[in-house]
Amino acid sequence: MAMQERTQVGIIGAGPAGLLLARLLKLHGVESVILEARTRDYVEARVRAGVLEQGTVELLEEAGVADRLHRDGLVHDGVEIAAGGRRLRIDFRDLVGKTVTVYGQTEVTRDLIAARLAGDGPIVWEAADVTIHDIDGDRPRLRYRAGDAERELACDFVAGCDGFHGASRPSLPASLVRTFERTYPFGWLGILADVPPCSDELIYASHPRGFALASMRSPTRSRYYIQCSLDEKIEEWPDARIWDELALRLGSEPAPDITTGPSIEKSIAPLRSFVATPMQHGRLFLAGDAAHIVPPTGAKGLNLAASDVHYLCRAFVAHYTRGNDDLLHAYSETALARVWKAERFSWWMTMLLHRLHPEASFEAQMQRAELDYLASSRAAQTVLAENYVGLPF
Ligand code: RFL
Ligand code: PHB
Protein backbone atom coordinates (compact mmCIF):
# COMPACT_ATOMS: atom_id res chain seq x y z
CA MET A 1 0.00 0.00 0.00
CA ALA A 2 1.48 3.36 -1.06
CA MET A 3 2.08 5.99 1.60
CA GLN A 4 -0.64 8.64 1.23
CA GLU A 5 -0.23 12.39 1.64
CA ARG A 6 -2.73 15.15 1.06
CA THR A 7 -2.68 18.71 -0.20
CA GLN A 8 -5.00 21.24 -1.82
CA VAL A 9 -3.30 21.65 -5.22
CA GLY A 10 -0.96 18.95 -6.54
CA ILE A 11 1.49 20.59 -8.94
CA ILE A 12 3.45 18.54 -11.47
CA GLY A 13 6.66 20.24 -12.59
CA ALA A 14 9.06 22.73 -10.95
CA GLY A 15 9.60 24.90 -14.02
CA PRO A 16 8.59 28.56 -13.91
CA ALA A 17 4.87 27.70 -14.26
CA GLY A 18 4.73 25.23 -11.35
CA LEU A 19 6.97 27.25 -9.06
CA LEU A 20 5.20 30.56 -9.66
CA LEU A 21 1.78 28.99 -9.19
CA ALA A 22 2.86 27.41 -5.90
CA ARG A 23 4.27 30.73 -4.69
CA LEU A 24 1.19 32.80 -5.57
CA LEU A 25 -1.15 30.19 -4.08
CA LYS A 26 0.82 30.21 -0.83
CA LEU A 27 0.51 33.99 -0.60
CA HIS A 28 -3.28 33.46 -0.75
CA GLY A 29 -3.18 30.70 1.88
CA VAL A 30 -3.58 27.77 -0.52
CA GLU A 31 -1.30 24.76 0.10
CA SER A 32 0.41 22.75 -2.61
CA VAL A 33 2.97 20.02 -3.18
CA ILE A 34 5.26 20.17 -6.22
CA LEU A 35 6.41 16.92 -7.86
CA GLU A 36 9.46 17.38 -10.09
CA ALA A 37 11.03 14.61 -12.18
CA ARG A 38 14.55 16.10 -12.16
CA THR A 39 17.07 17.10 -9.51
CA ARG A 40 17.30 20.62 -8.12
CA ASP A 41 20.75 21.04 -9.72
CA TYR A 42 19.42 20.08 -13.12
CA VAL A 43 16.44 22.43 -12.92
CA GLU A 44 18.59 25.32 -11.69
CA ALA A 45 21.19 24.88 -14.44
CA ARG A 46 18.87 24.67 -17.45
CA VAL A 47 19.53 27.58 -19.86
CA ARG A 48 16.42 28.89 -21.52
CA ALA A 49 14.52 32.14 -21.91
CA GLY A 50 15.88 35.59 -21.31
CA VAL A 51 13.21 38.24 -21.88
CA LEU A 52 10.46 39.10 -19.37
CA GLU A 53 7.43 41.13 -20.35
CA GLN A 54 6.43 43.97 -18.04
CA GLY A 55 3.38 41.95 -16.91
CA THR A 56 5.62 39.02 -15.97
CA VAL A 57 7.87 41.32 -13.96
CA GLU A 58 4.80 42.69 -12.16
CA LEU A 59 3.62 39.16 -11.38
CA LEU A 60 7.04 38.26 -9.97
CA GLU A 61 6.85 41.43 -7.84
CA GLU A 62 3.42 40.35 -6.59
CA ALA A 63 4.99 36.97 -5.77
CA GLY A 64 7.66 38.75 -3.70
CA VAL A 65 10.54 37.30 -5.72
CA ALA A 66 11.68 40.35 -7.69
CA ASP A 67 14.49 41.80 -5.52
CA ARG A 68 17.35 40.23 -7.46
CA LEU A 69 15.47 40.81 -10.70
CA HIS A 70 15.33 44.54 -9.97
CA ARG A 71 18.97 44.59 -8.92
CA ASP A 72 20.47 42.54 -11.77
CA GLY A 73 17.83 42.59 -14.52
CA LEU A 74 18.45 44.87 -17.51
CA VAL A 75 15.53 47.07 -18.50
CA HIS A 76 15.36 47.38 -22.29
CA ASP A 77 13.45 50.19 -23.98
CA GLY A 78 13.60 48.60 -27.43
CA VAL A 79 15.03 46.01 -29.79
CA GLU A 80 16.77 46.26 -33.13
CA ILE A 81 15.82 44.52 -36.34
CA ALA A 82 18.73 44.13 -38.78
CA ALA A 83 17.77 43.41 -42.38
CA GLY A 84 18.92 44.33 -45.86
CA GLY A 85 22.09 45.91 -44.50
CA ARG A 86 20.18 48.31 -42.24
CA ARG A 87 19.32 48.34 -38.57
CA LEU A 88 15.90 49.48 -37.44
CA ARG A 89 15.25 50.32 -33.81
CA ILE A 90 11.82 49.53 -32.39
CA ASP A 91 11.44 51.97 -29.50
CA PHE A 92 9.01 50.37 -27.03
CA ARG A 93 8.96 53.27 -24.62
CA ASP A 94 8.18 55.78 -27.33
CA LEU A 95 5.68 53.56 -29.20
CA VAL A 96 3.75 51.94 -26.35
CA GLY A 97 5.20 53.35 -23.11
CA LYS A 98 6.44 49.99 -21.84
CA THR A 99 9.70 48.05 -21.50
CA VAL A 100 10.93 44.47 -21.20
CA THR A 101 13.48 43.14 -18.71
CA VAL A 102 16.37 40.87 -19.64
CA TYR A 103 16.77 38.42 -16.75
CA GLY A 104 17.45 34.74 -17.35
CA GLN A 105 14.83 32.08 -16.78
CA THR A 106 17.56 30.27 -14.86
CA GLU A 107 17.61 33.16 -12.36
CA VAL A 108 13.80 33.36 -12.16
CA THR A 109 13.76 29.64 -11.37
CA ARG A 110 16.46 29.99 -8.70
CA ASP A 111 14.61 32.88 -7.04
CA LEU A 112 11.35 30.91 -7.01
CA ILE A 113 12.99 27.74 -5.65
CA ALA A 114 14.70 29.74 -2.89
CA ALA A 115 11.35 31.30 -1.89
CA ARG A 116 9.60 27.93 -1.95
CA LEU A 117 12.22 26.24 0.18
CA ALA A 118 12.27 29.11 2.70
CA GLY A 119 9.02 27.76 4.12
CA ASP A 120 6.31 27.78 1.47
CA GLY A 121 6.04 24.01 1.12
CA PRO A 122 7.65 20.91 -0.32
CA ILE A 123 9.18 20.19 -3.69
CA VAL A 124 9.64 16.47 -4.23
CA TRP A 125 12.74 16.21 -6.46
CA GLU A 126 13.22 13.18 -8.68
CA ALA A 127 9.56 12.18 -8.40
CA ALA A 128 9.46 9.32 -10.92
CA ASP A 129 6.61 7.86 -12.98
CA VAL A 130 3.96 10.40 -11.96
CA THR A 131 0.47 9.24 -12.93
CA ILE A 132 -2.78 11.15 -12.51
CA HIS A 133 -5.98 9.47 -11.32
CA ASP A 134 -9.66 10.35 -10.88
CA ILE A 135 -9.63 13.78 -12.50
CA ASP A 136 -13.35 13.34 -13.14
CA GLY A 137 -14.08 12.91 -9.43
CA ASP A 138 -13.72 15.45 -6.63
CA ARG A 139 -10.59 13.89 -5.10
CA PRO A 140 -7.93 13.37 -7.76
CA ARG A 141 -4.74 11.53 -6.80
CA LEU A 142 -1.17 11.62 -8.02
CA ARG A 143 0.90 8.45 -7.76
CA TYR A 144 4.67 8.56 -8.04
CA ARG A 145 7.86 6.91 -6.95
CA ALA A 146 10.42 8.59 -4.67
CA GLY A 147 13.52 6.40 -4.43
CA ASP A 148 12.14 2.93 -3.73
CA ALA A 149 8.93 4.18 -2.13
CA GLU A 150 5.57 4.25 -3.92
CA ARG A 151 3.67 7.35 -2.87
CA GLU A 152 0.22 8.79 -3.39
CA LEU A 153 -0.83 12.42 -3.10
CA ALA A 154 -4.53 13.13 -2.68
CA CYS A 155 -5.53 16.64 -3.81
CA ASP A 156 -8.49 18.86 -4.59
CA PHE A 157 -6.99 19.88 -7.94
CA VAL A 158 -4.06 18.97 -10.16
CA ALA A 159 -2.02 21.61 -11.98
CA GLY A 160 -0.13 20.13 -14.92
CA CYS A 161 2.94 22.36 -15.22
CA ASP A 162 5.25 19.67 -16.55
CA GLY A 163 6.25 21.14 -19.89
CA PHE A 164 5.78 19.85 -23.41
CA HIS A 165 6.97 16.28 -22.73
CA GLY A 166 5.22 15.87 -19.35
CA ALA A 167 2.59 13.43 -18.14
CA SER A 168 -0.32 15.88 -17.77
CA ARG A 169 -1.44 16.61 -21.31
CA PRO A 170 -1.63 12.88 -22.22
CA SER A 171 -3.85 12.43 -19.13
CA LEU A 172 -6.64 14.54 -20.62
CA PRO A 173 -9.21 12.37 -22.43
CA ALA A 174 -7.89 12.05 -25.99
CA SER A 175 -11.38 12.25 -27.44
CA LEU A 176 -11.92 15.74 -25.95
CA VAL A 177 -8.59 17.35 -26.79
CA ARG A 178 -7.76 19.01 -30.08
CA THR A 179 -4.21 19.92 -30.95
CA PHE A 180 -2.91 22.44 -33.45
CA GLU A 181 0.67 22.25 -34.57
CA ARG A 182 3.16 23.83 -36.93
CA THR A 183 6.76 22.67 -37.17
CA TYR A 184 9.40 24.75 -38.88
CA PRO A 185 12.08 23.33 -41.17
CA PHE A 186 14.96 24.73 -39.09
CA GLY A 187 16.26 25.00 -35.53
CA TRP A 188 18.14 27.46 -33.35
CA LEU A 189 21.70 26.85 -32.34
CA GLY A 190 22.29 28.74 -29.07
CA ILE A 191 25.59 29.69 -27.47
CA LEU A 192 26.20 31.20 -24.05
CA ALA A 193 29.57 32.85 -23.33
CA ASP A 194 31.11 35.05 -20.66
CA VAL A 195 31.85 37.96 -22.98
CA PRO A 196 30.23 41.42 -23.03
CA PRO A 197 27.21 41.70 -25.33
CA CYS A 198 27.84 43.28 -28.76
CA SER A 199 25.03 45.79 -28.29
CA ASP A 200 23.00 47.39 -25.48
CA GLU A 201 19.81 45.94 -26.93
CA LEU A 202 18.81 42.66 -28.58
CA ILE A 203 19.42 42.45 -32.33
CA TYR A 204 17.15 40.23 -34.43
CA ALA A 205 18.87 39.79 -37.81
CA SER A 206 17.34 38.60 -41.06
CA HIS A 207 20.20 37.66 -43.39
CA PRO A 208 20.48 35.67 -46.64
CA ARG A 209 22.59 33.12 -44.70
CA GLY A 210 19.80 32.74 -42.13
CA PHE A 211 18.43 34.37 -38.98
CA ALA A 212 20.66 35.40 -36.07
CA LEU A 213 19.88 36.85 -32.65
CA ALA A 214 22.21 38.72 -30.33
CA SER A 215 20.92 38.55 -26.77
CA MET A 216 22.43 38.68 -23.31
CA ARG A 217 22.09 37.69 -19.69
CA SER A 218 24.16 40.44 -18.07
CA PRO A 219 26.77 43.07 -18.99
CA THR A 220 29.36 40.27 -18.96
CA ARG A 221 27.39 37.32 -20.37
CA SER A 222 26.12 37.02 -23.94
CA ARG A 223 23.58 34.71 -25.50
CA TYR A 224 23.52 34.30 -29.28
CA TYR A 225 21.42 32.17 -31.59
CA ILE A 226 21.67 31.26 -35.27
CA GLN A 227 19.17 29.55 -37.52
CA CYS A 228 20.50 26.10 -38.49
CA SER A 229 19.09 23.15 -40.34
CA LEU A 230 17.49 20.37 -38.33
CA ASP A 231 19.91 17.66 -39.39
CA GLU A 232 22.98 19.57 -38.18
CA LYS A 233 24.88 18.21 -35.19
CA ILE A 234 26.31 20.35 -32.43
CA GLU A 235 29.74 18.72 -33.08
CA GLU A 236 29.70 20.35 -36.51
CA TRP A 237 29.67 23.74 -34.81
CA PRO A 238 32.94 24.39 -32.97
CA ASP A 239 32.86 27.79 -31.23
CA ALA A 240 35.01 29.48 -33.91
CA ARG A 241 32.54 28.53 -36.64
CA ILE A 242 29.62 29.99 -34.63
CA TRP A 243 31.44 33.27 -34.03
CA ASP A 244 32.34 33.55 -37.73
CA GLU A 245 28.75 32.89 -38.74
CA LEU A 246 27.42 35.43 -36.25
CA ALA A 247 29.79 38.08 -37.56
CA LEU A 248 28.48 37.51 -41.07
CA ARG A 249 24.79 37.48 -40.17
CA LEU A 250 24.89 40.37 -37.71
CA GLY A 251 27.24 42.35 -39.91
CA SER A 252 24.83 44.98 -41.17
CA GLU A 253 25.47 48.69 -40.71
CA PRO A 254 26.58 49.64 -38.18
CA ALA A 255 28.36 46.28 -37.72
CA PRO A 256 28.24 45.30 -34.04
CA ASP A 257 31.54 44.68 -32.34
CA ILE A 258 31.28 41.04 -31.27
CA THR A 259 33.59 39.91 -28.48
CA THR A 260 34.24 36.18 -28.83
CA GLY A 261 35.17 33.67 -26.16
CA PRO A 262 34.72 30.03 -25.14
CA SER A 263 31.13 28.77 -24.97
CA ILE A 264 29.80 27.72 -21.57
CA GLU A 265 26.65 26.18 -23.08
CA LYS A 266 25.73 25.20 -26.61
CA SER A 267 22.59 23.49 -27.86
CA ILE A 268 20.29 23.07 -30.85
CA ALA A 269 16.53 23.42 -30.33
CA PRO A 270 13.81 22.73 -32.90
CA LEU A 271 11.12 25.39 -33.46
CA ARG A 272 7.49 24.55 -33.01
CA SER A 273 4.07 26.13 -32.62
CA PHE A 274 1.61 23.97 -30.69
CA VAL A 275 -1.68 24.46 -28.85
CA ALA A 276 -3.80 21.87 -27.01
CA THR A 277 -7.40 22.84 -26.34
CA PRO A 278 -9.10 22.74 -23.90
CA MET A 279 -6.41 23.28 -21.26
CA GLN A 280 -8.53 21.63 -18.59
CA HIS A 281 -10.75 18.66 -17.86
CA GLY A 282 -12.43 17.79 -14.59
CA ARG A 283 -9.94 18.72 -11.89
CA LEU A 284 -6.82 18.77 -14.08
CA PHE A 285 -5.61 22.15 -15.37
CA LEU A 286 -2.64 22.62 -17.71
CA ALA A 287 -0.39 25.68 -17.61
CA GLY A 288 2.65 26.78 -19.63
CA ASP A 289 4.51 24.54 -22.08
CA ALA A 290 2.36 21.57 -21.02
CA ALA A 291 -0.45 23.14 -23.06
CA HIS A 292 1.30 25.23 -25.70
CA ILE A 293 4.63 25.91 -27.39
CA VAL A 294 5.74 28.96 -29.34
CA PRO A 295 8.87 29.32 -31.47
CA PRO A 296 11.33 31.44 -29.44
CA THR A 297 11.46 34.31 -31.94
CA GLY A 298 8.92 36.44 -30.05
CA ALA A 299 10.35 35.58 -26.58
CA LYS A 300 6.89 34.53 -25.43
CA GLY A 301 7.13 31.01 -23.93
CA LEU A 302 8.02 31.87 -20.35
CA ASN A 303 5.72 34.88 -20.42
CA LEU A 304 2.77 32.73 -21.49
CA ALA A 305 3.51 30.37 -18.61
CA ALA A 306 3.26 33.42 -16.33
CA SER A 307 -0.07 34.62 -17.71
CA ASP A 308 -1.58 31.10 -17.51
CA VAL A 309 -0.49 30.94 -13.89
CA HIS A 310 -2.05 34.33 -13.19
CA TYR A 311 -5.44 33.14 -14.51
CA LEU A 312 -5.20 29.75 -12.79
CA CYS A 313 -4.16 31.14 -9.42
CA ARG A 314 -6.99 33.69 -9.50
CA ALA A 315 -9.43 30.86 -10.25
CA PHE A 316 -8.18 28.62 -7.40
CA VAL A 317 -8.30 31.55 -4.99
CA ALA A 318 -11.91 32.32 -5.98
CA HIS A 319 -12.76 28.67 -5.29
CA TYR A 320 -11.11 28.56 -1.87
CA THR A 321 -11.99 32.00 -0.58
CA ARG A 322 -15.43 32.62 -2.09
CA GLY A 323 -16.59 29.16 -3.12
CA ASN A 324 -16.99 30.55 -6.63
CA ASP A 325 -15.96 28.27 -9.51
CA ASP A 326 -16.82 30.54 -12.43
CA LEU A 327 -13.18 31.43 -13.07
CA LEU A 328 -12.13 27.78 -12.85
CA HIS A 329 -14.72 26.81 -15.46
CA ALA A 330 -13.61 29.68 -17.71
CA TYR A 331 -9.86 29.06 -17.22
CA SER A 332 -9.08 27.39 -20.54
CA GLU A 333 -11.06 29.88 -22.57
CA THR A 334 -9.55 32.85 -20.74
CA ALA A 335 -5.97 31.60 -21.05
CA LEU A 336 -6.31 30.51 -24.68
CA ALA A 337 -7.53 33.93 -25.79
CA ARG A 338 -4.13 35.30 -24.83
CA VAL A 339 -2.20 32.20 -25.90
CA TRP A 340 -3.49 32.37 -29.47
CA LYS A 341 -2.43 36.00 -29.83
CA ALA A 342 1.07 35.15 -28.65
CA GLU A 343 1.08 32.17 -31.02
CA ARG A 344 0.19 34.52 -33.85
CA PHE A 345 2.91 37.00 -32.96
CA SER A 346 5.61 34.32 -32.53
CA TRP A 347 4.65 32.67 -35.82
CA TRP A 348 4.64 36.03 -37.60
CA MET A 349 8.03 37.07 -36.26
CA THR A 350 9.47 33.64 -37.10
CA MET A 351 8.17 33.75 -40.67
CA LEU A 352 9.34 37.34 -41.12
CA LEU A 353 12.94 36.88 -40.03
CA HIS A 354 14.05 33.35 -40.97
CA ARG A 355 15.43 32.25 -44.27
CA LEU A 356 12.77 29.93 -45.67
CA HIS A 357 12.77 30.41 -49.40
CA PRO A 358 15.23 31.06 -52.25
CA GLU A 359 16.30 34.69 -52.48
CA ALA A 360 14.54 35.09 -55.83
CA SER A 361 11.18 33.65 -54.72
CA PHE A 362 7.89 35.47 -54.24
CA GLU A 363 7.92 34.56 -50.53
CA ALA A 364 11.35 36.13 -50.00
CA GLN A 365 10.08 39.23 -51.79
CA MET A 366 7.11 39.34 -49.39
CA GLN A 367 9.52 39.23 -46.42
CA ARG A 368 11.51 42.13 -47.86
CA ALA A 369 8.34 44.14 -48.50
CA GLU A 370 7.16 43.53 -44.95
CA LEU A 371 10.52 44.53 -43.46
CA ASP A 372 10.53 47.64 -45.64
CA TYR A 373 7.00 48.48 -44.48
CA LEU A 374 8.05 47.98 -40.85
CA ALA A 375 10.95 50.39 -41.38
CA SER A 376 8.68 53.07 -42.82
CA SER A 377 5.49 52.76 -40.77
CA ARG A 378 5.05 53.84 -37.17
CA ALA A 379 1.78 51.88 -37.14
CA ALA A 380 3.60 48.65 -38.08
CA GLN A 381 6.29 49.32 -35.46
CA THR A 382 3.60 49.94 -32.85
CA VAL A 383 2.04 46.53 -33.60
CA LEU A 384 5.41 44.84 -33.10
CA ALA A 385 6.13 46.81 -29.91
CA GLU A 386 2.70 46.21 -28.38
CA ASN A 387 3.01 42.46 -28.85
CA TYR A 388 6.69 42.21 -27.87
CA VAL A 389 6.24 43.97 -24.52
CA GLY A 390 3.23 41.71 -23.93
CA LEU A 391 -0.51 42.06 -24.33
CA PRO A 392 -2.33 42.79 -21.07
CA PHE A 393 -3.54 39.97 -18.83
P1 RFL B 1 9.27 23.89 -18.21
O1 RFL B 1 10.23 24.97 -17.96
O2 RFL B 1 9.56 22.91 -19.30
O3 RFL B 1 9.10 23.11 -16.83
C1 RFL B 1 8.44 21.86 -16.75
C2 RFL B 1 8.99 21.12 -15.55
O4 RFL B 1 8.30 19.88 -15.43
C3 RFL B 1 9.24 18.83 -15.20
N1 RFL B 1 8.62 17.58 -15.67
C4 RFL B 1 8.06 16.67 -14.86
N2 RFL B 1 7.93 16.62 -13.52
C5 RFL B 1 7.31 15.54 -13.00
N3 RFL B 1 6.81 14.52 -13.75
C6 RFL B 1 6.90 14.54 -15.09
N4 RFL B 1 6.40 13.55 -15.82
C7 RFL B 1 7.56 15.64 -15.71
N5 RFL B 1 7.83 15.99 -16.99
C8 RFL B 1 8.47 17.16 -16.95
C9 RFL B 1 10.47 19.27 -15.98
O5 RFL B 1 11.66 18.65 -15.52
C10 RFL B 1 10.46 20.78 -15.72
O6 RFL B 1 11.16 21.10 -14.56
O7 RFL B 1 7.81 24.44 -18.50
P2 RFL B 1 7.04 25.76 -17.94
O8 RFL B 1 7.17 25.87 -16.46
O9 RFL B 1 5.71 25.74 -18.57
O10 RFL B 1 7.90 26.99 -18.52
C11 RFL B 1 7.93 27.25 -19.90
C12 RFL B 1 9.27 27.86 -20.29
O11 RFL B 1 10.32 27.06 -19.77
C13 RFL B 1 9.44 27.97 -21.82
O12 RFL B 1 8.23 28.39 -22.41
C14 RFL B 1 10.54 28.97 -22.21
O13 RFL B 1 11.81 28.52 -21.81
C15 RFL B 1 10.55 29.19 -23.72
N6 RFL B 1 11.62 30.07 -24.16
C16 RFL B 1 11.50 31.44 -24.02
N7 RFL B 1 10.42 31.98 -23.42
C17 RFL B 1 10.36 33.33 -23.21
O14 RFL B 1 9.35 33.80 -22.66
N8 RFL B 1 11.36 34.20 -23.61
C18 RFL B 1 12.47 33.74 -24.22
O15 RFL B 1 13.36 34.53 -24.49
C19 RFL B 1 12.56 32.32 -24.48
N9 RFL B 1 13.64 31.80 -25.08
C20 RFL B 1 12.77 29.55 -24.74
C21 RFL B 1 13.77 30.45 -25.20
C22 RFL B 1 12.96 28.17 -24.86
C23 RFL B 1 14.10 27.66 -25.43
N10 RFL B 1 14.25 26.25 -25.48
C24 RFL B 1 15.41 25.57 -25.09
C25 RFL B 1 13.11 25.41 -25.73
C26 RFL B 1 14.92 29.96 -25.78
C27 RFL B 1 15.09 28.58 -25.92
C28 RFL B 1 16.35 28.12 -26.61
C1 PHB C 1 17.33 34.69 -25.02
O1 PHB C 1 18.05 35.60 -24.56
O2 PHB C 1 17.50 33.50 -24.70
C2 PHB C 1 16.27 35.01 -26.01
C3 PHB C 1 15.98 36.35 -26.25
C4 PHB C 1 14.98 36.66 -27.17
C5 PHB C 1 14.32 35.65 -27.84
C6 PHB C 1 14.62 34.32 -27.58
C7 PHB C 1 15.61 34.00 -26.66
O3 PHB C 1 13.37 35.97 -28.76
Side-chain angles (χ1 to χ4, degrees):
M1 175 64 190
M3 200 173 105
Q4 203 186 47
E5 301 144 293
R6 143 129 217 91
T7 192
Q8 291 179 302
V9 181
I11 299 176
I12 312 175
L19 290 164
L20 182 58
L21 177 64
R23 174 72 184 160
L24 291 168
L25 286 175
K26 179 71 186 179
L27 294 176
H28 288 93
V30 180
E31 299 299 326
S32 63
V33 171
I34 304 178
L35 305 182
E36 165 59 48
R38 304 284 192 162
T39 63
R40 177 177 180 183
D41 283 349
Y42 182 92
V43 169
E44 289 195 335
R46 226 166 14 198
V47 180
R48 288 197 171 168
V51 178
L52 306 181
E53 295 172 357
Q54 196 157 310
T56 303
V57 171
E58 285 161 16
L59 200 57
L60 292 167
E61 280 167 4
E62 191 185 318
V65 290
D67 291 353
R68 216 158 60 92
L69 187 162
H70 285 311
R71 197 188 66 205
D72 298 341
L74 307 170
V75 175
H76 283 200
D77 293 347
V79 290
E80 294 203 79
I81 309 280
R86 284 184 303 181
R87 265 160 73 177
L88 163 71
R89 180 157 190 273
I90 307 291
D91 188 329
F92 303 149
R93 211 185 270 279
D94 172 45
L95 292 162
V96 293
K98 290 190 179 167
T99 60
V100 294
T101 300
V102 172
Y103 187 67
Q105 178 171 334
T106 313
E107 308 310 318
V108 173
T109 305
R110 285 182 188 160
D111 295 343
L112 284 164
I113 290 175
R116 175 77 180 173
L117 298 181
D120 277 7
I123 303 175
V124 181
W125 303 107
E126 295 181 89
D129 304 330
V130 176
T131 53
I132 310 170
H133 305 267
D134 299 338
I135 55 170
D136 283 309
D138 54 9
R139 185 54 55 88
R141 287 167 300 121
L142 298 175
R143 290 214 189 113
Y144 64 100
R145 216 161 26 79
D148 289 334
E150 298 289 331
R151 301 236 182 122
E152 191 172 282
L153 179 65
C155 6
D156 301 334
F157 299 101
V158 177
C161 303
D162 46 358
F164 187 63
H165 300 288
S168 303
R169 194 177 62 256
S171 302
L172 296 172
S175 58
L176 297 180
V177 179
R178 287 182 70 193
T179 59
F180 299 85
E181 183 163 18
R182 155 73 67 105
T183 54
Y184 301 86
F186 44 77
W188 275 22
L189 167 64
I191 180 172
L192 189 69
D194 276 327
V195 292
C198 68
S199 160
D200 290 342
E201 293 180 342
L202 271 61
I203 306 174
Y204 289 83
S206 165
H207 190 274
R209 298 179 66 89
F211 170 79
L213 169 60
S215 181
M216 66 193 74
R217 289 292 176 274
S218 74
T220 56
R221 182 168 284 187
S222 301
R223 178 75 165 157
Y224 290 96
Y225 297 94
I226 49 179
Q227 174 185 353
C228 63
S229 69
L230 282 171
D231 50 20
E232 279 175 289
K233 305 268 172 298
I234 201 83
E235 301 78 53
E236 296 163 24
W237 286 95
D239 291 358
R241 182 176 172 211
I242 301 178
W243 292 119
D244 288 348
E245 193 62 35
L246 281 165
L248 290 170
R249 297 190 191 184
L250 291 166
S252 48
E253 286 307 316
D257 187 11
I258 302 174
T259 310
T260 66
S263 62
I264 49 177
E265 197 266 356
K266 223 172 8 176
S267 57
I268 295 181
L271 269 68
R272 183 197 305 273
S273 298
F274 175 91
V275 178
T277 163
M279 290 168 61
Q280 68 189 87
H281 178 74
R283 291 193 166 231
L284 172 60
F285 298 81
L286 305 185
D289 280 14
H292 41 72
I293 296 289
V294 286
T297 325
K300 290 283 164 259
L302 168 61
N303 294 296
L304 278 184
S307 59
D308 285 356
V309 161
H310 163 77
Y311 297 129
L312 188 53
C313 175
R314 197 178 65 173
F316 283 143
V317 171
H319 169 88
Y320 284 110
T321 59
R322 304 196 299 279
N324 185 331
D325 286 349
D326 292 351
L327 292 175
L328 269 179
H329 293 141
Y331 167 68
S332 177
E333 207 185 326
T334 312
L336 282 170
R338 187 168 193 278
V339 165
W340 276 118
K341 293 184 198 94
E343 290 282 348
R344 185 206 69 79
F345 177 66
S346 305
W347 161 83
W348 172 78
M349 224 169 137
T350 302
M351 299 302 281
L352 177 68
L353 297 173
H354 287 76
R355 179 160 199 246
L356 283 151
H357 306 283
E359 281 304 290
S361 63
F362 180 82
E363 286 78 8
Q365 209 56 52
M366 289 299 96
Q367 282 181 323
R368 282 190 283 270
E370 183 137 21
L371 284 162
D372 202 23
Y373 174 56
L374 188 64
S376 64
S377 162
R378 187 176 167 92
Q381 292 175 20
T382 305
V383 170
L384 198 164
E386 182 178 42
N387 283 276
Y388 197 95
V389 302
L391 297 175
F393 55 84

